[in-house]
Amino acid sequence: MNRRDALSRVALLMGGAVIGAEFFLSGCKNEKAAGTLGLTATDISLLDEIGEAIIPTTNTPGAKAVQIGKFMEMMVTDCYDARDQKVFVDGLKTFHQKTGELLKKDFISATPEERKKFIQALNDEQVNIEKTKKESEPSHYFRMMKELTCLGYFSSEIGATKQLRYVETPGKYDGSFPYKKGDRAFATS
Amino acid sequence: MSENVYDAIVIGSGISGGWAAKELCEKGLKVLMLERGENIEHVKDYVNATKHPWEIPHRGLNTQEMIKDYPVLNRDYTLNETNYKWWANEKDCPYEEKKPFNWFRGYHVGGRSLMWGRQSYRWSDLDFEANAKDGFGVDWPIRYKDIEKWYDYAETFAGISGSLEGLPQLPDGKFMPPMEMNIVEKDVAARIKKNYNNERTMIIGRTANITQPHNGRANCQYRNKCWLGCPFGAYFSTQSATLPAAQKTGNLTVRPWSIVTRILYDKNTKKATGVEIIDAENNKTYEYKSKIVFVNASALNSAWVLMNSATDVWEGGLGSSSGQLGHNVMDHHFKLGASGIMEGYDDKYIYGRRANGIYIPRFQNIGKDKRDYLRGYGYQGGGGRESHLNNIAEASIGAELKEAMSEPGNWTMGIMAFGEILPYHENKMILNKDKKDKWGLPTIELDCEIKDNEQKMRKDMMSEAEAMLTGAGVKKVHTYDAGYTFGAGIHEMGTARMGKDPKTSVLNGNNQVWDAPNVFVTDGACMTSAACVNPSLTYMALTARAADFAVSELKKGNL
């Protein structure tokens, strides 16, 4: 039941979202964390912008508003093992290089359209890699960024209360609650 | 009364220890309840219970530091940022695994009553007669009629919600109104009933979450954060229920940080005279005297205490004369089943987070049903609407992703089997005197495995799960077997079993140690077989029954 299954437990805690959970459970084993990642303020800003491209501001705030860069840094520092930390940090460098090669400028200086196109290509790349890679191999760095962005955003106060519906103490149970297309999901506990 | 003398000593403060303390105090005895770990105060110490998700730094996930410090907990859901500190410190309290064994321990006031799964089912004579019928283990010294009124009593006080079903293999009880099934569960339940001519049933889980106010406790608020401690006191725990009742009598003394090292035994009177403890904080040794001792330290630790007691009389410790102490370790094997999606309920959703699921009671080896293995299993599970966040890897990015992730996903329905493990004598715990814990005490080595009967059962658990869901209209049904490690059910049982004969059992039919009649063991250690249902309610009933017997014997001057 609910206390029995690791994934569903994490899912319950995360508001029904198994994002990251699978990754954390399979990807984080016993290796010791490598300590600080050595990210600079510029790196954190870049992560904010990457997060914002993944979950942009619409009629509700986006990932940048929940300081997603800092969240990613904390999660990678504390929760990732040394191997995955390296993938993440090297990935950020690769990201920077690629923007130079393909956009001929920094990601931060690119237009929203350029950013989206660039991020979309990276997403396609990680999707392809995830399909063929072995379970024991690390994820693509962009998948890490995407998972962390979704995790951090939808469990943040803004994500849970403004983008989703958050009810701290439901007080009752209705297992046949009316729903129409477009209604927001409940953020859970 | 001198400072270190009581009428009764209770070793342990979890589900059964709390019940022992309550019953003995209410009957007028001065009781000392010893707990090896820290105190946890009701509500005040439930530090994460009222936090919002964004107030939990890593959102519940594990840090590398946690993984390093809790390698055993990390094998399961048990390691979690929100409550891992409520599980025993693995460095201070090591154990050895001759074969893999997940031992998840709660070393604090309340024990695992704070983190338990709360599913509460009665046994039936199908269970009490099982050993006698197929010859595994020894016969239970009691039958359903001996415990029935104590189930009534335990349920009435603890507050168990559930539905009345009239099933012989899963007797009805004194329930509070049941929680509700959701629309998908209701439809699946109706189809299962129809497909199997009423011979299989899917019911709402019977859970120790109250659905009406009860003894000053508020009813369940559908937050589904029970494992953090409930600020409403809506689920049964030592803290929410038995401890306040015991304290109200003025007869209870609770002593945290008290590791019982042995029961003091007088070989002339053939009775216990009290216990010896080490204070876990100052490492000093103390003795406490009492007329009776209740051992409720959880199955493995209760046997450990007995093994360390009266070793000058019996090398293997108090209760070892039968050759059964520490043997017959049982648990429930599980972690396999099936799940799939339910189509056609797009206009329905779920409001509230129900800390409960559905239950499919055992249907194997009942009546005309015969399988190629003994005993049986039940399923726990549930239906719900999943999150689109599951599809994160493949999903797009940008506004499209944000919107897609913000809508609920498919309705799913899943069930997971929980099966009986036979009482095998060779499944045992051994006292390891070479490896010591932080206090220089011997540790436990575990040597347990499931065998052919359970393996055969597991095949059946998978195929029946698939067939039942598919037949009920669940689509894209997939089966899974995540693998079972002994102990992972967190239902350790059998290390000091009850029986009819002192030559083959440690305890008699009133939970008295045959070799020391004023010592009672009423936690999982006492179980003669395991059945397939969650065991805690049976510990509550057996404890209340044994406490009643103990006090009446005391009054008669028999103890």
Side-chain angles (χ1 to χ4, degrees), chain A residues 3 13-14 31 78 146 177, chain B residues 58-59 64 77 80 395:
Chain A
R3 81 177 190 129
L13 285 163
M14 299 317 308
E31 264 182 84
D78 296 347
K146 188 177 174 185
F177 189 71
Chain B
H58 304 91
R59 311 291 153 89
Q64 289 294 313
Y77 77 90
N80 182 293

Side-chain angles (χ1 to χ4, degrees), chain A residues 46-155:
Chain A
L46 177 57
L47 286 172
D48 274 338
E49 297 302 332
I50 294 171
E52 182 70 15
I54 294 168
I55 297 191
T57 303
T58 50
N59 57 349
T60 63
K64 197 174 164 182
V66 306
Q67 297 184 297
I68 204 69
K70 271 191 184 163
F71 178 78
M72 284 196 248
E73 182 194 30
M74 175 193 66
M75 292 299 286
V76 174
T77 305
D78 296 347
C79 299
Y80 278 29
D81 65 21
R83 181 195 70 172
D84 289 332
Q85 285 181 341
K86 188 169 184 318
V87 172
F88 185 91
V89 174
D90 289 352
L92 196 59
K93 284 179 199 143
T94 308
F95 184 96
H96 194 65
Q97 265 173 13
K98 276 197 173 185
T99 47
E101 285 163 22
L102 297 172
L103 300 175
K104 314 288 177 211
K105 58 183 128 177
D106 283 349
F107 188 69
I108 290 176
S109 327
T111 65
E113 290 72 28
E114 285 171 331
R115 290 186 192 188
K116 179 155 191 200
K117 203 176 156 200
F118 182 79
I119 290 278
Q120 185 67 60
L122 262 187
N123 190 52
D124 294 344
E125 185 181 316
Q126 71 84 15
V127 168
N128 285 330
I129 285 172
E130 286 299 319
K131 277 181 195 154
T132 52
K133 81 168 189 67
K134 288 192 200 116
E135 208 176 298
S136 58
E137 289 169 346
S139 285
H140 187 278
Y141 70 87
F142 185 72
R143 166 126 184 221
M144 295 176 176
M145 291 172 181
K146 188 177 174 185
E147 282 179 342
L148 290 170
T149 299
C150 288
L151 171 68
Y153 179 75
F154 287 105
S155 60

Side-chain angles (χ1 to χ4, degrees), chain B residues 349-493:
Chain B
Y349 196 24
I350 294 172
Y351 177 88
R353 301 181 291 276
R354 187 188 62 193
N356 188 16
I358 57 85
Y359 189 63
I360 299 175
R362 175 176 159 184
F363 52 82
Q364 320 81 31
N365 293 321
I366 293 179
K368 284 180 190 155
D369 185 283
K370 290 282 178 284
R371 309 270 158 161
D372 67 345
Y373 52 85
L374 300 169
R375 320 273 172 118
Y377 59 85
Y379 291 104
Q380 301 184 13
R385 243 187 124 158
E386 68 182 0
S387 165
H388 269 311
L389 297 165
N390 292 338
N391 308 322
I392 189 166
E394 286 72 33
S396 178
I397 49 123
E400 195 187 322
L401 171 79
K402 188 179 177 187
E403 289 310 306
M405 297 268 157
S406 303
E407 288 181 10
N410 291 318
W411 277 91
T412 60
M413 180 72 214
I415 55 177
M416 181 189 279
F418 286 74
E420 179 159 2
I421 294 177
L422 291 172
Y424 301 109
H425 179 77
E426 55 275 29
N427 277 347
K428 62 183 187 292
M429 55 173 273
I430 307 153
L431 216 53
N432 185 341
K433 289 177 179 157
D434 300 324
K435 177 150 185 170
K436 302 284 174 69
D437 69 6
K438 183 184 170 186
W439 298 273
L441 299 167
T443 53
I444 289 174
E445 182 176 294
L446 291 156
D447 183 4
C448 307
E449 63 183 357
I450 56 170
K451 297 176 194 283
D452 189 47
N453 195 64
E454 291 77 24
Q455 297 296 358
K456 278 185 184 157
M457 193 189 293
R458 289 178 79 76
K459 287 198 185 105
D460 192 47
M461 288 163 151
M462 294 259 279
S463 59
E464 285 286 11
E466 184 174 25
M468 285 170 75
L469 291 189
T470 305
V474 181
K475 306 288 183 207
K476 295 184 185 167
V477 174
H478 74 275
T479 57
Y480 64 92
D481 182 352
Y484 166 72
T485 303
F486 216 101
I490 323 186
H491 294 162
E492 313 94 72
M493 288 177 269

Side-chain angles (χ1 to χ4, degrees), chain B residues 162-184:
Chain B
S163 56
L164 300 175
E165 303 285 346
L167 301 168
Q169 75 274 38
L170 198 76
D172 290 335
K174 303 284 182 196
F175 299 143
M176 286 202 171
M179 289 184 170
E180 248 200 89
M181 286 197 209
N182 61 49
I183 187 164
V184 158

